[in-house]
Amino acid sequence: MASGEAASTAKAKYLQIADDIATQIRSGALAPGEAVPSETELMARYGVASGTVRKAIAELRTMQLIETHHGRGSYVRSRPPVQRKSSDRFRRAHRLAGKAAYLAEAEQSGGIPSVNVLFVGPTDAPSDIAERLGIKVGTKVLARKRRYFRDGTPTEEATSYLPWDVVKDIPEMFAENPGGGGIYARLEERGYVLAEFTETVRARLATKAESSALALSPGSPVIHLVRDAITSEGRVVEVCDTTMAADQFVLDYRFAARD
């Protein structure tokens, strides 16, 4: 058999194995949280080498059907209901009701939200953040880093960067809990009326640190979203750099048609 044919046959075999296991998962024969047959079992069942089985397992991870834990094996993924990231999450009505954007959104989709504050304090603005804020690289800004959970599952990690001259006289900004309505409510109370949000979104594979933070399998996709909060005077008063587990979100936007 020519080398090209051999490669094609090997690919067909691991895809067949992945398809068989995917069918079992979708039919419920392999339930959420249940262990996937071991590498040894799959080698014996399909009469293939370990490399072919590993490629099949990698394919199932890419399909977001399983997750692999080092030293424990692979398990059918238990997915929480999808959350919707939409433009409605920033409605002023939510802030006036004392709800920050994430809490309002998670409640609407039926989940139990929680947040773990990882860091609040001064830092030097990285180059990409400084450009968005219109300041020099290395200028002191306030950073607020959080990890968000839904029904106990980590879903996203976000860091907000705010100009120091804007926040230095707002003590709530330096607290883990900035109060009802979140940091946007505190900004508006001080006269920084928010008029517009812009977002840059891209998909990529998770880094090792992101996989660990969001409990993802190696090679899982994430959504990297960077948002600017802009006042009615045209000033960017916050840049929020967010990494989200891609399988747990649908990005849903609404915007006006223009001439």
Side-chain angles (χ1 to χ4, degrees):
M1 183 182 295
S3 60
E5 292 180 54
S8 179
T9 300
K11 181 176 182 180
K13 195 64 180 179
Y14 83 72
L15 289 176
Q16 178 204 335
I17 297 169
D19 186 59
D20 286 351
I21 297 174
T23 299
Q24 294 176 54
I25 292 172
R26 289 169 177 145
S27 69
L30 281 173
E34 187 174 343
V36 173
S38 69
E39 184 177 307
T40 301
E41 290 176 291
L42 292 174
M43 288 169 60
R45 180 183 303 176
Y46 291 97
V48 295
S50 61
T52 301
V53 170
R54 288 170 188 165
K55 288 180 180 178
I57 294 298
E59 183 72 15
L60 290 163
R61 282 202 302 268
T62 300
M63 297 164 68
Q64 293 290 291
L65 293 175
I66 68 170
E67 52 191 6
T68 301
H69 302 280
H70 183 68
R72 291 173 48 204
S74 298
Y75 296 81
V76 178
R77 194 177 177 95
S78 300
R79 299 190 191 184
V82 170
Q83 295 188 68
R84 301 181 70 84
K85 281 275 186 199
S86 73
S87 52
D88 285 342
R89 70 198 305 262
F90 297 118
R91 291 176 59 187
R92 187 165 285 107
H94 292 319
R95 298 196 289 279
L96 294 176
K99 296 179 181 179
Y102 181 84
L103 299 182
E105 181 177 65
E107 287 177 5
Q108 287 177 350
S109 59
I112 300 175
S114 58
V115 58
N116 182 13
V117 177
L118 305 176
F119 174 80
V120 179
T123 191
D124 296 336
S127 59
D128 55 334
I129 301 300
E131 182 178 357
R132 286 173 173 267
L133 288 173
I135 59 178
K136 293 182 179 179
V137 176
T139 300
K140 182 167 71 171
V141 295
L142 175 67
R144 297 181 54 86
K145 185 174 184 178
R146 300 89 63 199
R147 186 175 300 141
Y148 294 95
F149 299 79
R150 184 165 188 256
D151 297 331
T153 299
T155 60
E156 63 180 287
E157 198 166 86
T159 303
S160 289
Y161 298 91
L162 301 106
W164 193 259
D165 66 298
V166 169
V167 301
K168 62 184 177 64
D169 295 321
I170 309 177
E172 296 93 338
M173 289 294 198
F174 296 83
E176 288 194 4
N177 183 354
I183 63 173
Y184 292 159
R186 304 291 81 76
L187 287 170
E188 294 201 312
E189 287 170 356
R190 295 301 182 104
Y192 298 98
V193 179
L194 299 173
E196 184 180 20
F197 298 93
T198 65
E199 295 184 337
T200 302
V201 183
R202 70 185 181 101
R204 57 172 172 78
L205 298 182
T207 65
K208 186 174 181 180
E210 290 165 345
S211 295
S212 176
L214 298 177
L216 300 173
S217 297
S220 293
V222 292
I223 298 169
H224 185 198
L225 184 152
V226 183
R227 180 179 63 254
D228 295 350
I230 307 168
T231 69
S232 54
E233 296 179 346
R235 182 175 184 184
V236 177
V237 290
E238 183 228 20
V239 176
C240 187
D241 190 323
T242 304
T243 303
M244 300 178 285
D247 69 317
Q248 297 186 39
F249 290 93
V250 171
L251 301 184
D252 185 6
Y253 296 101
R254 181 180 63 195
F255 46 88
R258 297 191 176 186
D259 294 335

